[in-house]
C-alpha cells in the first residue's frame, strides 16, 4: 500500500521476481473478465461501459477466482485491492479459505517528495518508458533514450490534481490502515532513497 508516487509498482515487480509470486492486479483482471463471454464477464462489461465501479461482491468473486489458480498456491501480491474496509474484510474471508495469511506493507514517503516524483514524471509516447526530470532524466531533453519519441507529462500529474488524488487516498485508505494496524498485520516501510534501498526494507518484512 502507499499513495501515488510511493513506488508500489516498482516494489511489487521486484518482490514478484525475488519470491516468484504473481502480481494480481485488479484492473488487469477486470479487463480480462470483461472480454470473456460469461455471465460475470457481461456484468463487468456493462458496469464499466456505464462508467460505474464494480461492486465489492463482484470484485471479491473475480479476485477469488484469479487467486485460486495454480500459480497463486504459494501466495500472491495484490495490486489495487483492497481499496475499502468492506473489501479488506472480504479479502480476509478469501485468504482464510485458501489457507493464506495477509501481510500489509505500507510504503511511506514525505508529501514534498511525492509531489516531486509525480510532477517530474515523464512518459514516452512511443514505448511507454518512464523518466523523471529530477531523479531519472533522459539524456536528450524531452526525448526517450530507448526509441527517441517525445516524452509527455500525464494530464493528472499537475499539482492541483495530485493534491486531490492524495487527499482521496488519505480519506479512503485510513480506515484500512487502522484495520490492519489493529490486527498487527501492518508494516510501515520508509519509501525514500533508491528503489534498491526501499526493496531491501520491503523484503526484510516479507
Amino acid at each position: 500500500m502507499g499513495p501515488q508516487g510511493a513506488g508500489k509498482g516498482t516494489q511489487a515487480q521486484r518482490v514478484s521476481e525475488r519470491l516468484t509470486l504473481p502480481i494480481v492486479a485488479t484492473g488487469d483482471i477486470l479487463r480480462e473478465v470483461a472480454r470473456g463471454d460469461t455471465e460475470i464477464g457481461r456484468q463487468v462489461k456493462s458496469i464499466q461501459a456505464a462508467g460505474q465501479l464494480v461492486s465489492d461482491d463482484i470484485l471479491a468473486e473475480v479476485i477469488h477466482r484469479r487467486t485460486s489458480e495454480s500459480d497463486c498456491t504459494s501466495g500472491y501480491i495484490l495490486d489495487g485491492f483492497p481499496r475499502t474496509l468492506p473489501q479488506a474484510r472480504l479479502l480476509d474471508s478469501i485468504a482464510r479459505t485458501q489457507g493464506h495469511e495477509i501481510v500489509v506493507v505500507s510504503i511511506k514517503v514525505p508529501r514534498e517528495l511525492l509531489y516531486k516524483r509525480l510532477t517530474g514524471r515523464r512518459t514516452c509516447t512511443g514505448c511507454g518508458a518512464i523518466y523523471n526530470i529530477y531523479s531519472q532524466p533522459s539524456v536528450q531533453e524531452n526525448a526517450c533514450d530507448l526509441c527517441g519519441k517525445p516524452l509527455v507529462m500525464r494530464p493528472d500529474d499537475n499539482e492541483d490534481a495530485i493534491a486531490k488524488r492524495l487527499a482521496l487516498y488519505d480519506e479512503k485508505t485510513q480506515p484500512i490502515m487502522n484495520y490492519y494496524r489493529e490486527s498487527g498485520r501492518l508494516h510501515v516501510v520508509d519509501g525514500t532513497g533508491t528503489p534498491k534501498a526501499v526493496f531491501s526494507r520491503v523484503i526484510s518484512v516479507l
Side-chain angles (χ1 to χ4, degrees):
M1 293 181 69
Q4 296 86 345
K8 298 186 298 295
T10 299
Q11 296 307 323
Q13 192 60 51
R14 285 175 175 244
V15 171
S16 173
E17 290 166 5
R18 171 69 69 85
L19 302 182
T20 323
L21 296 175
I23 297 173
V24 176
T26 311
D28 293 344
I29 299 171
L30 288 174
R31 281 188 287 274
E32 188 178 327
V33 167
R35 286 194 293 266
D37 188 23
T38 63
E39 185 180 343
I40 196 165
R42 288 187 289 272
Q43 279 184 320
V44 169
K45 189 175 182 178
S46 64
I47 291 166
Q48 290 180 330
Q52 298 174 336
L53 293 174
V54 174
S55 71
D56 285 348
D57 287 344
I58 290 177
L59 202 51
E61 173 65 20
V62 167
I63 293 287
H64 191 218
R65 285 188 186 190
R66 171 64 186 91
T67 57
S68 296
E69 292 177 15
S70 58
D71 64 336
C72 293
T73 303
S74 298
Y76 46 87
I77 302 157
L78 284 166
D79 177 3
F81 186 87
R83 289 180 186 260
T84 65
L85 196 51
Q87 287 177 9
R89 293 193 174 109
L90 283 168
L91 179 60
D92 277 345
S93 175
I94 291 169
R96 271 196 303 272
T97 64
Q98 296 170 334
H100 289 316
E101 292 182 19
I102 296 168
V103 179
V104 183
V105 178
S106 172
I107 302 175
K108 190 173 184 179
V109 178
R111 281 294 148 103
E112 60 270 20
L113 181 54
L114 288 177
Y115 274 95
K116 207 168 186 179
R117 286 181 179 177
L118 293 168
T119 58
R121 183 164 57 182
R122 299 292 184 272
T123 306
C124 175
T125 53
C127 65
I130 296 174
Y131 298 86
N132 191 290
I133 60 173
Y134 303 113
S135 60
Q136 193 184 355
S138 56
V139 174
Q140 185 181 338
E141 191 175 355
N142 291 324
C144 179
D145 295 339
L146 301 176
C147 69
K149 292 289 176 65
L151 304 179
V152 295
M153 183 180 185
R154 277 173 38 170
D156 59 350
D157 276 349
N158 65 75
E159 289 203 12
D160 287 344
I162 290 166
K164 289 175 183 173
R165 283 156 61 196
L166 293 177
L168 185 63
Y169 174 82
D170 288 340
E171 178 191 338
K172 296 290 184 185
T173 60
Q174 199 55 54
I176 308 174
M177 300 278 267
N178 293 339
Y179 177 71
Y180 286 127
R181 186 180 289 109
E182 287 164 8
S183 60
R185 294 177 288 177
L186 179 68
H187 303 267
V188 179
V189 167
D190 178 8
T192 61
T194 64
K196 185 178 179 181
V198 177
F199 176 66
S200 68
R201 297 172 200 140
V202 170
I203 207 69
S204 68
V205 168
L206 298 172

